[in-house]
Amino acid sequence: MSCILHRILFLTSIITGTLFTVNAADIASAASKRCPQTATAIFDSSFRTLTANIEGDRLAPPILTLDSDDRLIIGFDQLGDERQYLRYSITLCDADWCPSALVDAEVFDGFNYADVENYAFSRATATSYVHYTITLPNNDFQFRLSGNYLLKVYPEEDPENILLQVRFRVSEQALTIGGSVTSRTDAGINNGLQQLSLDIDTRNARIRDPFNDIQVYIYQNNRNDNRVRLSHPNRVVGSRLIYEHTPALIFPAGNEYRRMETVSNLYPGMGEDHIEYHAPYYHHILNLDRPRAAKEYVYDSTQHGRFFIREYSSVLSDTEAEYTPVHFTLDHALIPDADIYLDGDFMHRRFTPASKMEYDPSEGRYVKTVMLKQGAYNYQYLTLPHGASVASASAIEGDKYETVNEYLVLVYYRAPGDRYDRLLATTLLFSGK
């Protein structure tokens, strides 16, 4: 029996979601015990392909600018051929993604729920599904406050049954954030590390005490595990807050994301070895992935872990793209004291059974089969030591100082007596540019 046919024996569990979706028990076991886990996640195995994009700019993070014409498009699929009556609510969270102390009436005008009214059925696909979209802001939700927000989707008749949730932000863009990323770090030069420096101009905002009232968060390529929080600047020069020469601003450089495309069932796309048909699905077998830590750096223009749904011959890929089993194989010996995970937005940046690679002794390699909607995907392999919460790309991908990484910088403000964190400004910084 071929290794691919061997893996197909597990396809039933993949389709039902036991190998793909995030379960509520995992969500509950958050690193922070002081508030419920609020990470972007899917809890019901019939739901797939959760996205949140700024209209007209698929590369932008899901951040609305307050009082602007920005529109956030949240999309997701439900497997099956019947529409379900769904609702959603929105929760304002603090800078650390815990629900804020404000009540709904202080955040929104009217009721904090609305029906998911926009949907479309899949067309001529082997797997039937319903594609839903939510556009924000809308007639039901207008944003008066900046900050972090969590949208939850649930059945109309059962608001306690959360099917999925997704994070997004609303920013005032009231500050100017300057900064740079360099491989000449305080820990060495061109040695697999990158260091940030930030210069935040607060002249257009009233900041009483920048050493205590300002929090700065930094995300590398949208990863949650290695995010950095800065509680105070190194120094203040007039209206400028300077953050520099601190170990917290040094990040392992990692490597460029791997890329693959499953846009056609007729021919292999980028990163694919071949396609096999085993009724009722076309199986996309990716090229054998090998460790890159000992290899020279090779530049590639990636999307820093994002994915885009696309079927090459379709005008409306959201409803015409197929769901296909995608087979990942990593040529690496067993690591006894750590696990290897697939990382990328398509895995919601979480370390769960859905993203964990499985070691196959018969092949002597790590393998994973994931049911994915046709499209273009970025991914990488992260190693997570047992008992740890921060993963590393070093062992498999390597740390190459030339890597082009995307750093999202967010500046939050809470004055004494305030009961929520305002998001004053955001920006993106890139290394290697």
Side-chain angles (χ1 to χ4, degrees):
M1 181 182 296
S2 72
C3 62
I4 296 302
L5 286 175
H6 177 74
R7 292 190 217 173
I8 291 172
L9 295 177
F10 297 96
L11 186 57
T12 300
S13 59
I14 296 168
I15 299 300
T16 58
T18 56
L19 295 182
F20 185 83
T21 58
V22 178
N23 58 61
D26 179 76
I27 290 295
S29 61
S32 173
K33 301 299 183 182
R34 68 185 182 89
C35 68
Q37 178 55 261
T38 55
T40 294
I42 294 175
F43 302 110
D44 186 290
S45 61
S46 67
F47 287 83
R48 304 291 175 92
T49 317
L50 176 59
T51 60
N53 298 306
I54 296 297
E55 186 177 45
D57 189 353
R58 296 191 301 173
L59 292 176
I63 302 175
L64 293 164
T65 299
L66 197 64
D67 298 325
S68 74
D69 293 329
D70 289 351
R71 293 291 181 268
L72 177 68
I73 311 298
I74 296 171
F76 54 89
D77 295 339
Q78 183 179 20
L79 304 184
D81 52 12
E82 293 186 7
R83 176 216 175 177
Q84 185 172 354
Y85 290 91
L86 304 174
R87 282 183 174 172
Y88 64 95
S89 62
I90 298 177
T91 301
L92 176 65
C93 298
D94 64 16
D96 203 35
W97 290 101
C98 298
S100 77
L102 301 184
V103 299
D104 288 344
E106 297 176 279
V107 182
F108 301 110
D109 296 324
F111 298 105
N112 183 10
Y113 68 83
D115 295 328
V116 181
E117 297 178 334
N118 295 323
Y119 63 93
F121 294 98
S122 60
R123 299 174 55 188
T125 56
T127 300
S128 298
Y129 59 88
V130 184
H131 180 69
Y132 300 87
T133 58
I134 300 169
T135 301
L136 297 172
N138 54 42
N139 292 334
D140 296 300
F141 287 97
Q142 300 289 327
F143 297 99
R144 295 187 281 112
L145 305 178
S146 64
N148 292 349
Y149 286 88
L150 182 72
L151 182 143
K152 299 179 181 181
V153 175
Y154 53 87
E156 181 182 57
E157 73 285 353
D158 188 6
E160 299 302 317
N161 179 19
I162 305 303
L163 303 171
L164 59 87
Q165 59 189 26
V166 59
R167 290 176 172 182
F168 66 96
R169 299 177 175 93
V170 177
S171 175
E172 299 178 24
Q173 295 302 98
L175 304 177
T176 301
I177 304 175
S180 62
V181 186
T182 179
S183 60
R184 300 175 63 88
T185 76
D186 295 337
I189 298 175
N190 296 348
N191 62 347
L193 300 172
Q194 296 175 347
Q195 183 165 342
L196 282 72
S197 61
L198 302 175
D199 186 336
I200 301 173
D201 192 339
T202 66
R203 72 181 66 186
N204 294 323
R206 296 180 179 179
I207 308 298
R208 301 188 197 177
D209 183 358
F211 286 97
N212 293 295
D213 300 342
I214 291 287
Q215 297 182 74
V216 177
Y217 282 77
I218 303 168
Y219 290 77
Q220 182 192 52
N221 300 326
N222 200 32
R223 282 176 57 184
N224 294 306
D225 61 309
N226 66 343
R227 70 176 183 178
V228 166
R229 173 180 174 269
L230 303 175
S231 57
H232 56 80
N234 295 95
R235 54 195 175 95
V236 177
V237 180
S239 63
R240 294 164 50 216
L241 312 183
I242 309 298
Y243 300 79
E244 60 185 5
H245 299 298
T246 175
L249 288 173
I250 301 177
F251 288 79
N255 206 336
E256 305 293 350
Y257 277 78
R258 302 173 191 255
R259 294 194 292 161
M260 64 90 172
E261 293 185 350
T262 59
V263 297
S264 173
N265 287 330
L266 301 179
Y267 59 85
M270 177 188 298
E272 291 192 290
D273 183 78
H274 65 284
I275 300 171
E276 297 180 9
Y277 181 74
H278 302 280
Y281 300 107
Y282 288 92
H283 291 250
H284 291 253
I285 293 82
L286 303 187
N287 293 333
L288 176 64
D289 285 326
R290 302 182 187 276
R292 299 186 291 171
K295 296 182 178 180
E296 294 294 323
Y297 169 78
V298 176
Y299 171 75
D300 190 15
S301 180
T302 75
Q303 293 73 47
H304 310 291
R306 294 174 173 85
F307 72 94
F308 307 115
I309 299 305
R310 185 165 70 88
E311 202 284 330
Y312 86 105
S313 63
S314 297
V315 177
L316 300 173
S317 293
D318 283 339
T319 53
E320 296 177 359
E322 290 275 9
Y323 275 91
T324 66
V326 179
H327 298 265
F328 296 82
T329 306
L330 174 64
D331 189 17
H332 199 287
L334 178 66
I335 303 177
D337 57 352
D339 294 315
I340 298 176
Y341 290 88
L342 279 169
D343 173 65
D345 281 357
F346 71 109
M347 285 297 180
H348 306 144
R349 307 296 185 149
R350 296 187 55 76
F351 306 129
T352 70
S355 57
K356 181 181 175 181
M357 299 291 292
E358 303 295 336
Y359 185 73
D360 187 335
S362 66
E363 295 188 41
R365 296 165 173 166
Y366 283 87
V367 299
K368 188 71 175 180
T369 302
V370 184
M371 198 73 165
L372 296 176
K373 198 172 184 180
Q374 286 180 284
Y377 290 80
N378 283 191
Y379 68 100
Q380 66 176 346
Y381 296 101
L382 297 181
T383 304
L384 182 67
H386 295 162
S389 59
V390 179
S392 171
S394 301
I396 298 172
E397 307 295 1
D399 288 309
K400 314 298 182 183
Y401 73 87
E402 305 98 325
T403 302
V404 179
N405 286 309
E406 177 185 281
Y407 293 91
L408 173 63
V409 182
L410 306 116
V411 180
Y412 296 89
Y413 175 63
R414 181 184 292 206
D418 285 352
R419 295 160 49 231
Y420 78 103
D421 294 321
R422 295 166 55 191
L423 179 53
L424 293 186
T426 72
T427 198
L428 290 175
L429 301 176
F430 294 89
S431 60
K433 289 189 174 182

